[in-house]
Amino acid sequence: MQKRVVFRSRLLPYLLVLPQIAITLIFFFWPAYQALESSFFIEDAFGFSRQWVAMQNYVELFEDPSYLRSFKTTLIFGVSVAVMAMSISLGLAVAANRVVKAATGYRTMLIWPYAVAPALAGVIWYFLMNPSLGIVAYWLKNVGVDWNHYLNGDQALLLVIVAAAWKQVSYNFLFFLAGLQSIPKSLIEAAAIDRAGPVRRFWTIVFPLLTPTTFFLLVVNLVYAFFDTFALVHATTEGGPVDATSILVFRVYNTGFIGQDYGSSAAQSVILMGLVIMMTFVQFRFVERKVQY
Amino acid sequence: MATLSINSLGKVYPGGVTAVSDVNVDIADGEFIVLVGPSGCGKSTILRMIAGLEGITSGDLQIDDRRVNDLEPGERDIAMVFQNYALYPHMSVRGNMEYGLKNEGLPKAQIAERIAEAARTLRLEEFLDRKPANLSGGQRQRVAMGRAIVRDPKVFLFDEPLSNLDAKLRTQLRAELKALHKRLGATFVYVTHDQVEAMSLADRIIIMSNGKVEQIGTPMDLYLRPASRFVADFIGSPSMNVLDGTVSSDRRSLQLNGSHQIDFGAELPAAAGNQIAIGIRPEHLHQNTAGETRIELSVGFIEQLGADTVVHGTLAGSQSPLAVRLNGVQARDSGDSIALSCGRDQIHLFDGTTGQRLNWDNQ
Ligand SMILES: Nc1ncnc2c1ncn2[C@@H]1O[C@H](COP(=O)(O)OP(=O)(O)OP(=O)(O)O)[C@@H](O)[C@H]1O
Ligand SMILES: [Mg+2]
């Protein structure tokens, strides 16, 4: 059977993909090009004049210790969010996979956080952890932890990590659950007969078979943490105290809109774009080719 | 090497499905037992209860006189070959076979030795480093077998291990399996829905229907003395002809549909006017009138098998299906009628209502 559709008109296929191409061009390529262009200029705050400076914006960025610190912060933030969100959701997925009764109920409940807007997720955690009225901060005080993310940079970073991870758990959970359910039950049974206990079964059979899912989620979570957490940081710590939570995306905004240094902001977004392209490449290169069991 | 003793074993699944009830059997050391029956009769359930993959609702299960009801699958010292083989896809053939031994904590040298031997027996040497995905169905099947053999378990369990293979390979592997059993001398419990497989492999067959045991016996027991109409129908291909009839007033003959009268020359084990059924295997009917029991077949269609010909049709003058196996190549037209006969000792009797076998003097 012929699977390919054959169009009689030569024009029709192009017409059909036109909207898609138009959207991509107008909303992705055009702004990207604008950012790339601006990154080579220094512009005055009102946009009246600009001056070609070639790579100067980039050079300044990499000579700025606080920008380099942001790189490190972003890396710590991204890896922590990914690891935390993934391990919690894997745990939940394994538990939910064992549940027989009311399984859909649990699943629905676990999916809800994903529907919460990032800014709102930030605000929820912000209230929970607020040093003067937050319930979690109160509990922490009772166990002897003096929580104040307004002053303590590490605590502030921890707060945004937890908030960002919490929001991503639902998404990961869905994928892990689907991954777990696609592992044939007879494999687990064969391992049980082969004298592997539940823990050993998990690490030698289940976890390796989840590798494709895990790798896919790792990339997705890193991309999320690096590029999709602006609203969350903005709503909670605003990058502070003293840049402690100023991750790269947040910095782009801060430099551009608060500092009004459009050239540097543009250069930063070009660097971020480069990162996204790299990660997407890694994902296509490895995830797609990874053996699907 | 072990005995297996099953006492009034029963299984009710959550949700209330009674899959197995009151199964009793003692399996001897080194015996090849085949569980056979139609789909959904509870064969896999019994096997999975022996393996410990399914909880036992009622009754006792003993391996070597030790009650194992509450032991984990890994503690029962059994090995199982699954219908879909259940090979670990991320491990090589060697990895698959090693897995259980590593879990047991066997020394490395010993593991290597066992794997080498199993690989030799099953002709898997050249595939040891391949992943299961890169093997043919038959090779995967042998790996699954290898994974069981290296464990050197007390009991081997097989759940339809050949059903995913083509007919030719199935026949070949059947022979290999039989040879393997002989060589290992281990206790085998084997599930299949294929009666030919059951007949050719088993020392004893357990035939089941609807979660209950119909009969336990050697293949020849089941063939020659089926305990019920169900067994008679299930064992043998084509199936035994079973014809309903009414016991005559002198209890010495049976009135079949289509004005056939079967004389028994002895008293039937049923009251006058009762409904009973006679069973005659297609291969026991002959194209002559030498036998004491004569019936006439009205030809419907024929199956030419080369070595012999199976003629399907009805008992002349009735709608009751009747088949006969004739030697060699035979041509018949639809509507022809063939006079057949058989010896009285080839006739089986079954109760009309319960379907249970009725024994009578002439046998
Ligand atoms: N997990 C389960 N929950 C509820 N009912 C089940 C379950 N597994 C099997 N059954 C039911 O128990 C009965 C016996 O099933 P079983 O799998 O033992 O049949 P089988 O003889 O192996 O059939 P087949 O030849 O098709 O494999 C069937 O009616 C089946 O629907
Ligand atoms: Mg089955």
Side-chain angles (χ1 to χ4, degrees), chain B residues 18 38 72 75 81 91 119 123 136 186 201 213 234 293 330 337:
Chain B
T18 305
E72 290 293 313
E75 298 166 339
V81 176
M91 298 182 192
R123 287 172 286 115
S136 73
L201 287 173
V213 173
F234 198 86
T293 304
Q330 307 251 355
S337 128

Side-chain angles (χ1 to χ4, degrees), chain B residues 241 243 252-254 256 260-266 268 278-281 284-297 315 322 338-349 360 362-363:
Chain B
N241 298 300
L243 303 166
R252 299 176 76 87
S253 66
L254 199 64
L256 301 183
H260 276 84
Q261 168 113 3
I262 310 273
D263 265 321
F264 285 86
L268 286 168
I278 61 164
I280 307 169
R281 296 208 176 271
H284 292 156
L285 284 167
H286 299 287
Q287 243 187 124
N288 56 36
T289 46
E292 297 100 330
T293 304
R294 289 178 202 126
I295 51 177
E296 209 169 84
L297 167 73
L315 183 66
L322 187 65
I338 310 175
L340 301 165
S341 74
C342 77
R344 273 187 192 136
D345 52 345
Q346 311 279 31
I347 295 182
H348 306 264
L349 291 182
W360 61 296
N362 239 25
Q363 282 179 314

Side-chain angles (χ1 to χ4, degrees), chain A residues 189 193-195 200 204, chain B residues 48 88 90 99 103-104:
Chain A
E189 292 174 345
I193 289 175
D194 270 343
R195 298 192 182 176
R200 199 169 152 71
T204 55
Chain B
R48 293 168 56 80
Y88 312 125
H90 56 301
Y99 187 70
N103 292 339
E104 268 175 57

Side-chain angles (χ1 to χ4, degrees), chain A residues 97-118:
Chain A
N97 197 31
R98 299 175 73 109
V99 173
V100 185
K101 276 187 201 145
T104 27
Y106 285 111
R107 267 170 240 167
T108 315
M109 268 161 54
L110 281 163
I111 289 158
W112 277 342
Y114 196 59
V116 176

Side-chain angles (χ1 to χ4, degrees), chain A residues 139-198:
Chain A
W139 288 334
L140 286 171
K141 194 163 283 163
N142 285 350
V143 295
V145 180
D146 187 16
W147 183 269
N148 190 343
H149 59 253
Y150 292 110
L151 301 176
N152 185 326
D154 290 341
Q155 289 184 355
L157 187 58
L158 189 60
L159 170 67
V160 285
I161 288 172
V162 169
W166 175 75
K167 169 119 180 54
Q168 196 62 8
V169 163
S170 306
Y171 182 86
N172 297 348
F173 168 78
L174 277 185
F175 276 85
F176 275 133
L177 189 63
L180 286 173
Q181 285 175 341
S182 71
I183 296 176
K185 217 173 136 230
S186 59
L187 286 183
I188 313 295
E189 292 174 345
I193 289 175
D194 270 343
R195 298 192 182 176

Side-chain angles (χ1 to χ4, degrees), chain B residues 14-88:
Chain B
V17 183
T18 305
V20 171
S21 54
D22 197 30
V23 173
N24 290 287
V25 60
D26 279 312
I27 298 173
D29 182 18
E31 200 169 12
F32 198 137
I33 286 281
V34 175
L35 273 161
V36 70
S39 183
C41 69
K43 310 176 295 281
S44 298
T45 303
I46 292 185
L47 202 71
R48 293 168 56 80
M49 282 195 282
I50 298 175
L53 300 173
E54 227 37 274
I56 293 173
T57 313
S58 59
D60 268 340
L61 181 69
Q62 296 183 327
I63 298 177
D64 270 347
D65 302 326
R66 175 170 175 225
R67 188 172 178 275
V68 297
N69 283 39
D70 305 317
L71 293 188
E72 290 293 313
E75 298 166 339
R76 296 190 183 190
D77 205 0
I78 44 117
M80 180 155 166
V81 176
F82 291 79
Q83 177 169 5
N84 64 1
Y85 315 139
L87 299 178
Y88 312 125

Side-chain angles (χ1 to χ4, degrees), chain B residues 316-357:
Chain B
S318 82
Q319 295 298 314
S320 316
L322 187 65
V324 60
R325 185 191 282 269
L326 302 174
N327 285 332
V329 179
Q330 307 251 355
R332 286 291 187 285
D333 286 323
S334 175
D336 280 4
S337 128
I338 310 175
L340 301 165
S341 74
C342 77
R344 273 187 192 136
D345 52 345
Q346 311 279 31
I347 295 182
H348 306 264
L349 291 182
F350 302 105
D351 189 290
T353 45
T354 64
Q356 291 302 303
R357 178 186 190 81

